[in-house]
Amino acid sequence: MNVSHPNRRSFLGAGLGAGSLALHSLLQAGVKGESNSGFSHTAPSADRVIFLFMSGGPSQVDTFDPKPELAKLQGKDVPESLAKNVPRIKRAGLKNLLASPWEFREQGQSGIQMSELMPYTSKMADELCVIRSMNHRNPVHGPGECVAFTGTAAGDRPSIGAWSVYGLGADSENLPAFITMNLHSDGMQFPQAAGWGPGFLPPRYQGTVVDPGRGISHVAMPDGVDDKRRRKQLASIDWFNRRHLGSLGHHPELEARIQSYEMAFRLQTAAPELFDLGGETEATRKLYGLDEKVTETVGKGCLLARRMAERGVRFTQIRVGGWDAHGNIKANHEKMFVRTDQPVAALLQDLKQRGLLESTLVVWGGEFGRTPTMEGRGGGRDHSPAGYSVWMAGGGVKGGTVIGETDPIGYVVTERPVSPHDFHATVLHALGLRAESLTWNHHGRDEVPTVFGGAPVLEAFA
Amino acid sequence: MICLGFAFPVDVGELAFEGNWKAAGGKDGVFEIVGTGARNNPVRRSLAEPFEGEELFVRFRIVYPSESFETPAEGNGEFCVLWLDNREGDDFATHGGNVPNIGIHVKGGAVNHFMVRFRPNAESYAAPLVPDREFEIVARCWKTVPGKDRSFDRLDMWVDPKPGEEFSPHASTSTRGSIKSIKWLGFATGVKTEAGDVIRISQIGLADSWGEVVKGGDLTQTDPGKSPDEPEPMELADVKPPPEIIESDHWAFQKVVRPKVPDVKNEDWVVNPIDAFVAEKHVALGLTPAPRADKATIQRRISLVLTGLPPVGKTEEQDVEKWLQSRAFGERWGRHWLDVARWAESNGHQHNRDRPYAWRYRDYVINSFRDDKPFDEFVREQIAGDEIEEDNSDALVATGFLAAARYSGNELDKKIQRNDILTDITDTTSEAFLGMTMTCARCHDHFFDPVTAWDYYRMQAFFVNGQPGNLTLEPSGDDLIDQRWALFDSVEMRMARSRKKSGIPDPPVVTPESVVKAMTKEEKARLEALDKEIKQQSQTWGFYSPTTASRKRKFAPHEMRSPLPRDLNVLASQKVHYLVRGDVGMPGPSVEPGWPQVFGHSDVSKNKPRLSLANWIASPENPLTARVWVNRIWQGYFGTGLVATSGNFGIEGTEPSHPELLDWLASELVESGWSSRHIHRLILESNTFQQSSQFSASNQDRDPDNSGLWRWLPRRLEGEAIRDSMLVVSDQLIDEAGGPSVESASKRRSIYLQQKRDKLPDQQMMFDSPNAVASCSRRRTSTVALQPLWLLNSHFMQQTAILVAAKQQEPAKLLEQLFSRKAGSEEVAQLQNLISETGRKDAALALLNTNEFLYIP
């Protein structure tokens, strides 16, 4: 498959005359050439984004934010000097600190500290920029997930993916610009549609939900219909539609509808090709763990993410459910990293060896982190949005770096706080978009992605 | 074995020992237990009655003399336990294997510790044992679910307890299937206790509460039933007071004055005053109106606009009046209103639980439109139904408008939970009836409109003493509901206590689901029986305020993880505060209900505040209500309102294209007694509505957006109407009225399909239906490739095509049926050709995909 690195600027401004048909979306999230009047504010360092969302909230102190102090304070209450800084959020327990059951080691040339939970991702440490100072105030999954994707808890604003494709338009004529996959979503935390929703943006910017096993819905033609027969049908639809349009003179929406049939036909071909992994080598299958039961699901999602990146999908989102380690942090995180560590590392490695990592921003993180204290008596941790870790890689990000700091027990951010809005601004920055200038007029107000303000974490970029 | 009998006076509460200690040794109230190097039970005593209650405390003091003491490092350590059992056993009996043991054991092969256990390898350790020191040991043996037939499944221990430690034991263990009653207790030693080792035990006591067993502590229990919603005292932020006077010269905030109908030259074209206003604008813009559409087109247009169904088989001219009074009309126009009301049948958010009785509001809306309920009454019932209903439970059902707010069932912070609902209701009410988007004022004074944050919270205050829930329509079920909650609350209290004991931090989180799980078999059976009976009572998902409602209503159960407190006193005590930047954590002064200051003085009744609001909204004097409503009707015909931003009549909204027409229609509405049907008739008979869609280059140049209404612009059917049209042309439609919603495989009209948030039916989502999260005044039309895929490949469409093809085999007739007009010969030839190439089904499917079929002509 042809790996495209189109120069976006080459078609910016092209075909944007008033009434131009190209302006009306043909594919779900726009077509190549639809640029929404040139939202390109700065030089982009990435052409696309892969958002690996770990739903349920991975624990920072067991992954990317080592806290040796916790071992000393095991079983004790949060010391008063630290407790006074813990925001009064429901569920922010202050009793019974719990040491991480895992060792941390310095990884790669850069020596980023990562826990032994991630033997595969550790090998990619020099690609990662870890932000240890994410924080917000919502400790509940659903609203927290909305905060992570849309900036507010209500779930009525556009997702970061929708803003991205609104700002950039599509890069593929045959596939949706924004695709999302929900994996392992069998637990308590249902995927929040706001996470790929368009909010008040036009619906075409919404993410297309695909099941890695089944692809895009209704793509398959019914039994007995082949391309040739479908072509004849489409030709007739086109004939009737043009005749109907002829009497109306001018009606851009009807013209767009006529074109949407051509797009649908192309999608019918492109989508099965995308989901057909038959052409992948044995080595690739192995790399992603496709043939192991535990890694198969996320492995397939990650491999598809690479294939989408190759085919010009702008924004690919993978949501992996199951990180809600209330009962037992040890059992939960071991299970979840066995599921995800190898596939995620494989994605980074594979993108890199194909020369795609430098133009693809990969981000990893959950809706919040977890308390350094034990919840109840089972060795679990509760939700905690007061300080948690995420990472970014590729797409111009300076690898092997750590940004921000939390207190000695990993509860509260002490240095360089990064809000979800800052994080969204950072993703948009990589795409060459300035959050405060990416506007959409809604109810008379020029809405921007970062409703409560938010500035990109510029030091994350090389 | 040295055993001296000693009568130890223990009689705490209802607990009592029976007889004397068997085989004990020592003096001055102290037992000396002597090891034998083997299992030994030298000290035993029986209780007067077997203890089967919820919790039994036992206390004793213990000294392990250093001469008897051996660490595991030097030997194999020590062992001595107090056991509680339902049988006595003999001197050598083992009281282990799911029998509570409290005492000393070696931890990790290294150090002697105090411990509790039910079985080997399932123990929990407290502090290490120090020789020669006297320790006070307290243990609690308890049942997580009380009952004679329940096991003592938990065992907690304190070493030298302090009075406040009731809920933070030093060691705890649990099991399943332990003893159900305690009749005997005794001390046992084992192989680790060398022959000759002496252990001193004293002050053995029993109690059934912590307060009795621990000496000298003030041990009053906190009430676990305390509502987390109770207001905590908080410092109130200083907020700039509102300005004394707010005035605005914005057109929409001025009273409606009935305009004079203009005299126009193009008299022939004018059927009624609507046309006169439109013709005046034609002249002003230099436009020539399109000719009247042909009869067939008008028939199809009216049918689709009024009912959302194509006029299949109805070739003769239809009686418009009949259409206006049909259920199908109510179903289509009701759906328009449901968009505005952001109505759905589930809570939304993450724990998106169903609202099984929400359908009554949907039916209320359909019936209101079908019956042409006066719009002012429609307003009053929806805003204040619970305050005005007497024998009219319809009005209570109407509060489903307010109750359609989303409700986060997993929100532990009750302030946030309540505020989210209030915000939703305030935003929706002001947008739906007043065409005002007040949302911005929640965090700051509105940037553009003369609305302050004070106004916002004053609006909120109308709703603060009510909340959504399942409400019974007949009082006959009230007693059942009381019984149900009494049972539920008693178990919840018990649970909260037991959770606290387990060390779960305060406030204990007890979910309704876990309460049910914790019930005994009998309790559960009783609950299920009650719930079954309650379900048979007529209910509606409505909004109810115990402080202002005209009659008492009960909240029936609604399954949720963390609902708002049911306590009506809590609800009655709620107050709205000005929130700095909309943050519930930063309350300013409290506010009283009132409408935005720009509309003048608020005269709000204390007893029926929402009725005051409704009366103000539904008043002929209100400058917005009638304008906003006739504009919504207009949009239902032409796709765009006279004010294009039909949900925003504020300064940032668009100016009306025909301001005088808007005001004329608004005064017609009020003068007709708020009859929507009257407005429908006027529009239907107008020439403006009956124009063809004929193109004109000169008109197009002058008015490219058709804001001067020089022709009819075809527009796509909504997702519901697309599906319903398919059902009609394939004879699949099951045309039944009302009732609980049905699943999407059903062949009933789309308005009756289950409206679960985040899981709305496919064709609705595909074709731009709103997501039922916020009020939607106008749907968008997107044209994306996924739509043709559904229209071509989905099972539903394939089935429809098969039936359509089977129904009509004559190409010309098929075209006529689908397009409601005579087909041209070229069209017939084209279709004939397609049939011969692809077959009937695929040809029919192609026609169902055409713009002509999917657009209102």
Side-chain angles (χ1 to χ4, degrees), chain A residues 156-177:
Chain A
D156 53 0
R157 295 186 61 86
S159 55
I160 181 64
W163 280 114
S164 300
V165 294
Y166 164 62
L168 287 185
D171 190 14
S172 163
E173 293 184 347
N174 304 326
L175 289 169

Side-chain angles (χ1 to χ4, degrees), chain B residues 255-502:
Chain B
K255 278 205 177 108
V256 176
V257 179
R258 186 184 176 88
K260 204 173 132 293
V261 179
D263 290 324
V264 286
K265 282 197 187 134
N266 194 0
E267 270 177 34
D268 292 347
W269 193 78
V270 174
V271 172
N272 69 21
I274 290 178
D275 296 330
F277 288 106
V278 172
E280 191 181 37
K281 180 130 185 185
H282 287 162
V283 172
L285 295 176
L287 303 168
T288 315
R292 181 183 283 260
D294 58 69
K295 270 198 176 140
T297 302
I298 292 175
Q299 280 284 298
R300 186 172 169 87
R301 186 182 297 169
I302 293 179
S303 178
L304 288 170
V305 164
L306 292 189
T307 68
L309 305 172
V312 172
K314 292 171 186 145
T315 44
E316 76 284 6
E317 205 167 320
Q318 294 294 301
D319 183 356
V320 168
E321 211 51 41
K322 236 187 198 162
W323 257 331
L324 281 172
Q325 294 171 38
S326 68
R327 171 159 50 80
F329 171 83
E331 287 161 345
R332 174 158 179 79
W333 285 78
R335 183 60 253 184
H336 292 333
W337 183 255
L338 295 178
D339 282 10
V340 173
R342 49 69 178 108
W343 176 80
E345 295 176 278
S346 69
N347 286 341
H349 295 292
Q350 189 190 358
H351 286 253
N352 192 12
R353 296 292 149 81
D354 290 336
R355 296 173 174 174
Y357 308 102
W359 58 270
R360 281 189 205 274
Y361 174 74
R362 178 247 289 143
D363 283 359
Y364 161 85
V365 170
I366 291 174
N367 296 340
S368 297
F369 282 98
R370 181 199 59 199
D371 302 341
D372 190 28
K373 174 170 283 183
F375 190 72
D376 57 343
E377 198 180 324
F378 190 55
V379 171
R380 270 194 284 273
E381 289 178 345
Q382 291 180 87
I383 295 178
D386 58 326
E387 293 184 355
I388 58 180
E389 62 146 345
E390 291 194 355
D391 298 324
N392 168 18
S393 63
D394 231 26
L396 185 70
V397 173
T399 62
F401 172 83
L402 303 176
R406 285 186 304 160
Y407 187 159
S408 171
N410 196 23
E411 182 55 77
L412 299 181
D413 189 322
K414 298 295 141 187
K415 283 203 196 94
I416 292 177
Q417 190 175 34
R418 195 178 293 283
N419 187 253
D420 283 352
I421 294 173
L422 285 176
T423 300
D424 188 328
I425 289 175
T426 309
D427 293 352
T428 306
T429 305
S430 51
E431 177 165 343
F433 300 109
L434 300 169
M436 289 183 70
T437 54
M438 293 191 69
T439 321
C440 311
R442 188 179 155 211
C443 307
H444 50 74
D445 293 348
H446 204 293
F447 286 136
F448 307 107
D449 287 328
V451 177
T452 63
W454 287 97
D455 287 332
Y456 186 83
Y457 291 105
R458 277 143 43 87
M459 275 294 268
Q460 260 203 2
F462 282 112
F463 307 101
V464 72
N465 299 119
Q467 69 190 37
N470 283 330
L471 299 166
T472 48
L473 295 174
E474 309 295 336
S476 58
D478 289 0
D479 188 41
L480 293 171
I481 292 174
D482 286 342
Q483 288 179 42
R484 197 264 184 199
W485 288 125
L487 168 63
F488 182 90
D489 290 346
S490 70
V491 180
E492 185 176 18
M493 291 277 282
R494 194 173 77 210
M495 288 260 317
R497 267 202 325 273
S498 120
R499 290 215 164 187
K500 254 183 123 166
K501 279 190 223 161
S502 312

